[in-house]
Amino acid sequence: MSIPYFPGCTLHVKAKDLDDSTRAALAALGLELTELPEWTCCGAVFPLAQDNYMGMVAAARILANAAKLGDGRLVTVCSFCYHVLKRVNFAFRNRTEARNKLNEYLEEHYNGEVTLLHPLELIRDDVGFDVLQDRVYRRLKGLKVACYYGCTLSRPAEEMGFGEPENPTIMEELVAALGAEPVGFSWKTKCCGSYQVLNNAALAADRAQAVLEAASRQGAHVIITSCPLCRYNLERLPVGAAGKGESEARLPVLYFTQLLGIALQLPATTLGLDSHYLDALKEARA
Amino acid sequence: MVVTCTVKVAGNTPCTNDAEERGRCVVTGAEMTREVKAISGQNPYLCMQCGLCSASCTGVGFMDLLPRKVMRLVQLGDKKLLENRAIWLCSTCLTCTARCPRGLDVSRVMEALRVINLRKGTEVLAPEGIPEELLTEIPQMALTSGFRKLSS
Ligand code: SF4
Ligand code: SF4
């Protein structure tokens, strides 16, 4: 069965590798994704002003369009998209005023019927981490992985339903199923500085550096994430922007779907993986 | 930024405080506090000044006022807060919100202070100010989120 999928704008351009690896890895597990026939940007951030309904309309339209497909589910992998769609859906389900106001913008009535799923949840619920464990061809034995959730996946906990606000564990469960070793990582839900990279690059560089160093202290060989902006900040900023040199603590940063794809022995090209990542991982485990 | 006083005082005459004075004007400060309450949906007087939000904040080391002080100045109705840098350095990471022992959504208070500014046309992020190299490399979501939070 094919499941409705919302890639989001970053995945069509700058994070094509997240899109490719998500589709490829899920397909290998028998989960076929079908892109929504029509979609726009989700808005990227959830408006925190009580009276800003306009900031929720784009996400509302995406959810209402997904509802029309009748599957009842919608999958999205980008952490920002997941955050916004989940919170807007929560508002539809739980806040009468928001539901009424937003429905004024929609052609067909929507009540929050769609269940929004992150691929991590989809794999856990539809495949099962125990089953996944048996389907992994190349067990990633000896690889130490820091699971970096960033700030958007798990907070606010009552709306996101993604586990503890500062200690979600679903990514670690996936990593363990791949035969790798998730390291204890207290920085897993700290913020990388996010969009402040545009406004105060030094702040973002400082935060990214701190996250990298924390992962490195735990002996991680690689950091995984589902957020293109986290990845960008972690990979690019510690060099230069904060006036710091190449960090001793430099670690490869991958999407979790790429690591999953490696374990499923999918060709590197379908995962958008440069060979230098594969070399780095090989070296790490040597 | 000059904050224009919109409050009428005794006899329905406009407040005559000069710009410098207005920053500390109790009456207009009270107006700011009212607006923050309405936009954020939070009651700032619940804050007990424990400082957990500040200790958790992503902006530590960069903000001149950390969220605990921001909360205090909202309580006191100090309009200088609207001209503060700290509110623009918040990355809406919601750590303060997750940790506040008084159940305050601190990130909504920070947003309300930005929104009061943005609705008057005061913004901090302009496309011209972003280095071209960054513009071509950065994931789209950074531009969308940055402009949504930091420009009007
Ligand atoms: S954590 Fe809550 S109660 Fe403590 S200072 Fe911050 S806002 Fe006030
Ligand atoms: S949401 Fe803003 S104020 Fe709160 S901890 Fe994060 S950066 Fe600091």
Side-chain angles (χ1 to χ4, degrees), chain B residues 72-119:
Chain B
R72 184 66 183 137
L73 295 182
V74 172
Q75 290 175 342
L76 293 173
D78 190 333
K79 277 187 83 164
K80 282 254 160 61
L81 197 46
L82 290 174
E83 296 162 53
N84 206 272
R85 277 179 67 232
I87 57 176
W88 303 106
L89 293 177
C90 166
S91 56
T92 54
C93 71
L94 311 190
T95 312
C96 51
T97 298
R99 291 185 180 182
C100 174
R102 298 290 282 156
L104 275 166
D105 193 337
V106 188
S107 65
R108 284 189 183 270
V109 173
M110 300 294 275
E111 179 117 327
L113 292 162
R114 284 188 296 272
V115 161
I116 293 171
N117 274 301
L118 294 174
R119 288 179 185 172

Side-chain angles (χ1 to χ4, degrees), chain A residues 33-74:
Chain A
L33 300 178
T34 309
E35 188 169 326
L36 290 181
E38 274 186 304
W39 55 267
T40 61
C41 170
C42 68
V45 278
F46 183 79
L48 296 173
Q50 297 271 97
D51 55 353
N52 183 0
Y53 290 106
M54 206 55 218
M56 297 164 77
V57 169
R61 288 216 174 93
I62 292 163
L63 291 162
N65 279 337
K68 283 191 224 157
L69 300 177
D71 181 89
R73 294 174 293 179
L74 179 64

Side-chain angles (χ1 to χ4, degrees), chain B residues 11-82:
Chain B
N12 207 24
T13 51
C15 171
T16 52
N17 285 344
D18 65 23
E20 188 52 37
E21 278 295 300
R22 274 183 211 134
R24 297 230 167 250
C25 171
V26 185
V27 186
T28 56
E31 191 190 18
M32 175 194 77
T33 304
R34 267 199 306 280
E35 267 189 81
V36 167
K37 277 171 99 170
I39 295 171
S40 70
Q42 305 299 306
N43 176 4
Y45 297 103
L46 287 177
C47 169
M48 62 182 181
Q49 291 290 294
C50 68
L52 190 51
C53 50
S54 295
S56 319
C57 183
T58 299
V60 166
F62 291 85
M63 289 179 178
D64 40 0
L65 285 179
L66 286 164
R68 176 188 69 83
K69 285 195 181 162
V70 170
M71 293 305 295
R72 184 66 183 137
L73 295 182
V74 172
Q75 290 175 342
L76 293 173
D78 190 333
K79 277 187 83 164
K80 282 254 160 61
L81 197 46
L82 290 174

Side-chain angles (χ1 to χ4, degrees), chain A residues 9-11 13-15 41-52 54-56 78-80 83 87 95 151 155-156 159 165-166 189-203 206-207 227-229 232-233 236, chain B residues 37-42 56-60 62-63 85 87-95 97-99 105 107-108 111 114-115 119 124-125 129-131 133-150:
Chain A
C9 39
T10 303
L11 273 71
V13 193
K14 293 280 160 53
C41 170
C42 68
V45 278
F46 183 79
L48 296 173
Q50 297 271 97
D51 55 353
N52 183 0
M54 206 55 218
M56 297 164 77
C78 164
S79 300
F80 273 37
H83 180 88
R87 295 191 76 179
R95 286 170 48 201
C151 61
R155 289 189 289 268
E159 294 180 42
E166 295 189 64
T189 66
K190 300 250 180 165
C191 176
C192 68
S194 189
Y195 51 79
Q196 287 297 342
V197 58
L198 296 171
N199 182 42
N200 191 319
L203 185 157
D206 183 80
R207 297 293 86 192
C227 180
L229 185 49
Y232 178 84
N233 281 349
R236 316 304 286 261
Chain B
K37 277 171 99 170
I39 295 171
S40 70
Q42 305 299 306
S56 319
C57 183
T58 299
V60 166
F62 291 85
M63 289 179 178
R85 277 179 67 232
I87 57 176
W88 303 106
L89 293 177
C90 166
S91 56
T92 54
C93 71
L94 311 190
T95 312
T97 298
R99 291 185 180 182
D105 193 337
S107 65
R108 284 189 183 270
E111 179 117 327
R114 284 188 296 272
V115 161
R119 288 179 185 172
V124 297
L125 188 62
I130 303 171
E133 195 193 279
L134 197 60
L135 265 184
T136 51
E137 275 189 356
I138 196 110
Q140 284 72 17
M141 60 204 284
L143 295 168
T144 317
S145 54
F147 285 122
R148 283 204 139 179
K149 292 295 186 196
L150 309 173

Side-chain angles (χ1 to χ4, degrees), chain A residues 5-9 11-12 19 23 35-36 39 75-78 81:
Chain A
Y5 168 60
F6 171 73
C9 39
L11 273 71
H12 258 218
D19 187 38
R23 293 181 198 244
E35 188 169 326
L36 290 181
W39 55 267
V75 173
T76 196
V77 66
C78 164
C81 299

